[in-house]
Each structure stands twice: as C-alpha cells, then as structure tokens.
Amino acid sequence: MMKYSKNKRNWLIGISLMGLAALGVFKLFFDPSTTFPVSDYYEYDKAIPLKDTTHIILDTTGYQMFSISYTSIHDQRVTGLLSIPKSSSKPLPTIILIHGLGDHKAVDYVAYGNELFLKNGYAVLRIDISAHGDREKDFYDFDLTGPNKYWTRNIVSQTVFDLRRAIDLIETKPELDPGKIGYYGISLGGIIGSIFCSVDDRVKVPVLALAGGQLNLLYGKQAATKEVKDFLGIIEPLNFIADISPRPLLMLNAKNDEIVPPIMSKLLYRKAKKEKEIIWYDAKHRDAPLDIIFGDGLDWFNQYL
C-alpha cells in the first residue's frame, strides 16, 4: 500500500468534475497559457560548483548506498541517497526517484521502488524535495491559493533546479552513465517531474505517477484571470509537458484518485505529444498497488532506457 504522511494537507482535495462543470468555462481545460516566459525560467549557471559530498552508509553483498549532498541554485543544500548495484557492469543507467508531498527520500513506498530498480541493475538517486526530509525547517500549509502561495510555488520551482543539479552530479560519477537517465516521480514528485523532464533533455525516459495538470482550476471563478495564470506559469505542467516529446513518456494514474482528480491527469496526457502511454489503475491515490505501479515503470525503463 502506498502511504503518505497524515499531518500534511492534501492540497488538491476538493476539485471534482462537478466543481469543474460549475466553472462553466470549458476553455480553461485547454488554455493554461501565461504571458510569463516560462521556457527560460529554469536556466542556470552550470559553472557554480556543486561542492558535493559522498559518504557510504551501507555496504551489502548486492549494493552500496551513499549519503550525498550538493549545492543547488539559490544557495540551497540538497540531500539525497545514491544506491549502486554491485553485480551490474559500469557505467550504470540511473533512475532519479522522487517522493510525494510531505514525505522524504527514504519513505516506505520510495524505498520499495529503490529496491526494485536496484535488483534490476539500475543505480537509483533519491533526493528530498525542497523543504522536505532533511531539508525541512518549518513546514507551512502547502496551498497555492492561500497565504503561503509563494512559499508553496517555490517548493516546486526550486526542486526543478535541484533535479537539474542532480544530473550535473551524475555526470561527475564515472560509475553512472549520463546518457541513460530515467525519472520516476510520484504525486507531487510527478508534477515536478513533468516540468523537470521537459526543461532538461538529459532525462531520456520519464515516468510520472499519480500526477496531473491545469493547476489554475484550484482558483475556481478566478481560474481564467491573467494574474492566476501568470502566477502559476512557471509550475503549470501543461505549459511544459509537450517538450518531453519525442522522448517516451509513461503516465500512471488511479481511476478513483481523490487527490489528483482523473480529469487533471487526462488533460496532462492530452497535452503531451508522442511517444506517450497512460495506464489506469482501479485504485485511489494512496492505495495504488506498489508492485504493479513500480513494475509498470520498470517495464518502461527496460524497454526504452
């Protein structure tokens, strides 16, 4: 069973098909556009030193696990775990595996995916989303429409930068193949991944689980305003997802998802271009079967990475 921290707000609860119909503006489904130049926002100076650290924390017969840290944009220090299987020939294909809202790099469902990918010959890099895990200081109400909306938006945008720097780190590791990088993001990690994988073509195979788009629908009657679209522009998945093409995109979604409503996932998939595929599970957001949802991702990596 996929578990999430109970004390964190489910920031997308309350959006439903009835709520969308009440808006009476079908055009919103297809027009998340903004006047802000979002395509350039995530550029950065690669010359800034990573100042990375790597310390072994676990050495088993099958793999080694390292605690890592590095410097990202805006002087952020990123924490992560890098697991490297011993039996596979080097350099290794690498999966970047990212958790959901309120969780961390070692949460149970991410640990499950880490073990599965390791057993199948992939190195796995897990980092904490901004303001999560070892990077958490004060965690406020994650809400794009409330008094913490800029703090909330920054969590998403900062993590995109952090992930780009994670690839910079991978490129320094001779045991990892920088030409074979996959991404598996879950829930908030999937939403972040839809942006990250679009702006960084070093990710060759993206898998987005339990994610969706059209974030302006959170604003109800204000959804169509220029102010809302401009505010959300740099983190709206629909503004980015098409740029993943022609790399093969897999989306994994729950038919009865109460956190990320299926309509938001369908809109994101519709906006994506080929090569793409979507798989639907007869489940809710938190009870998507781990063996199946990670197994389908593994099959996708085995096919394309």
Side-chain angles (χ1 to χ4, degrees):
M1 301 290 286
M2 191 166 293
K3 299 178 181 179
Y4 291 80
S5 299
K6 295 181 179 179
N7 61 334
K8 305 301 182 184
R9 175 173 177 165
N10 296 326
W11 64 295
L12 290 178
I13 288 179
I15 302 178
S16 65
L17 286 174
M18 292 181 62
L20 296 179
L23 289 175
V25 189
F26 189 77
K27 181 174 179 290
L28 293 177
F29 282 18
F30 308 102
D31 184 22
S33 58
T34 172
T35 58
F36 191 88
V38 294
S39 60
D40 297 331
Y41 181 79
Y42 291 103
E43 293 302 317
Y44 67 101
D45 299 313
K46 292 185 179 180
I48 295 176
L50 284 165
K51 299 180 181 178
D52 55 299
T53 64
T54 302
H55 304 290
I56 189 166
I57 57 174
L58 186 61
D59 192 350
T60 74
T61 56
Y63 67 91
Q64 291 180 313
M65 184 182 296
F66 301 87
S67 173
I68 65 164
S69 67
Y70 59 89
T71 299
S72 184
I73 308 308
H74 308 129
D75 294 321
Q76 290 289 306
R77 196 70 184 167
V78 182
T79 51
L81 295 171
L82 173 62
S83 301
I84 300 178
K86 290 182 175 180
S87 59
S88 302
S89 60
K90 312 292 190 297
L92 293 163
T94 304
I95 308 300
I96 300 174
L97 176 57
I98 304 299
H99 61 85
L101 177 64
D103 289 324
H104 53 84
K105 61 186 177 296
V107 69
D108 53 1
Y109 60 88
V110 172
Y112 182 98
N114 175 71
E115 183 176 352
L116 179 66
F117 295 147
L118 276 174
K119 287 180 178 178
N120 284 273
Y122 295 97
V124 183
L125 177 59
R126 298 173 276 167
I127 69 168
D128 289 314
I129 287 175
S130 177
H132 285 66
D134 293 334
R135 305 174 67 188
E136 181 177 353
K137 295 178 181 178
D138 295 313
F139 199 99
Y140 304 105
D141 195 10
F142 189 95
D143 184 357
L144 285 167
T145 67
N148 304 317
K149 66 179 185 178
Y150 291 100
W151 177 86
T152 301
R153 185 180 67 173
N154 186 62
I155 286 177
V156 177
S157 61
Q158 179 62 49
T159 305
V160 174
F161 284 115
D162 300 340
L163 289 166
R164 299 203 70 184
R165 293 294 273 171
I167 297 186
D168 294 344
L169 179 65
I170 289 172
E171 291 178 334
T172 71
K173 303 289 186 183
E175 63 269 46
L176 306 180
D177 187 344
K180 292 185 177 182
I181 297 174
Y183 181 87
Y184 193 109
I186 305 164
S187 193
L188 179 58
I191 291 172
I192 292 170
S194 67
I195 304 167
F196 162 57
C197 297
S198 300
V199 300
D200 203 318
D201 61 8
R202 292 176 295 177
V203 178
K204 302 306 180 185
V205 183
V207 177
L208 309 179
L210 306 174
Q214 202 76 63
L215 302 181
N216 61 319
L217 294 175
L218 291 165
Y219 286 77
K221 294 180 179 179
Q222 305 298 316
T225 64
K226 177 180 180 298
E227 291 76 15
V228 166
K229 290 181 179 180
D230 284 352
F231 171 72
L232 293 174
I234 60 171
I235 63 165
E236 172 52 66
L238 269 66
N239 287 338
F240 296 89
I241 194 71
D243 291 332
I244 288 178
S245 179
R247 291 167 289 159
L249 167 67
L250 176 64
M251 291 181 58
L252 307 172
N253 294 96
K255 293 179 181 179
N256 306 309
D257 198 319
E258 76 286 13
I259 307 300
V260 181
I263 186 61
M264 297 182 74
S265 303
K266 292 176 181 178
L267 290 170
L268 186 61
Y269 183 73
R270 181 180 296 177
K271 191 74 171 182
K273 297 180 179 179
K274 297 181 178 179
E275 181 81 23
K276 64 178 181 179
E277 183 176 330
I278 189 168
I279 299 174
W280 291 94
Y281 306 104
D282 189 14
K284 293 184 178 181
H285 192 84
R286 295 184 180 88
D287 61 7
L290 288 181
D291 57 339
I292 297 176
I293 197 169
F294 275 112
D296 286 338
L298 175 63
D299 289 344
W300 195 256
F301 293 135
N302 287 342
Q303 181 177 356
Y304 290 106
L305 192 58

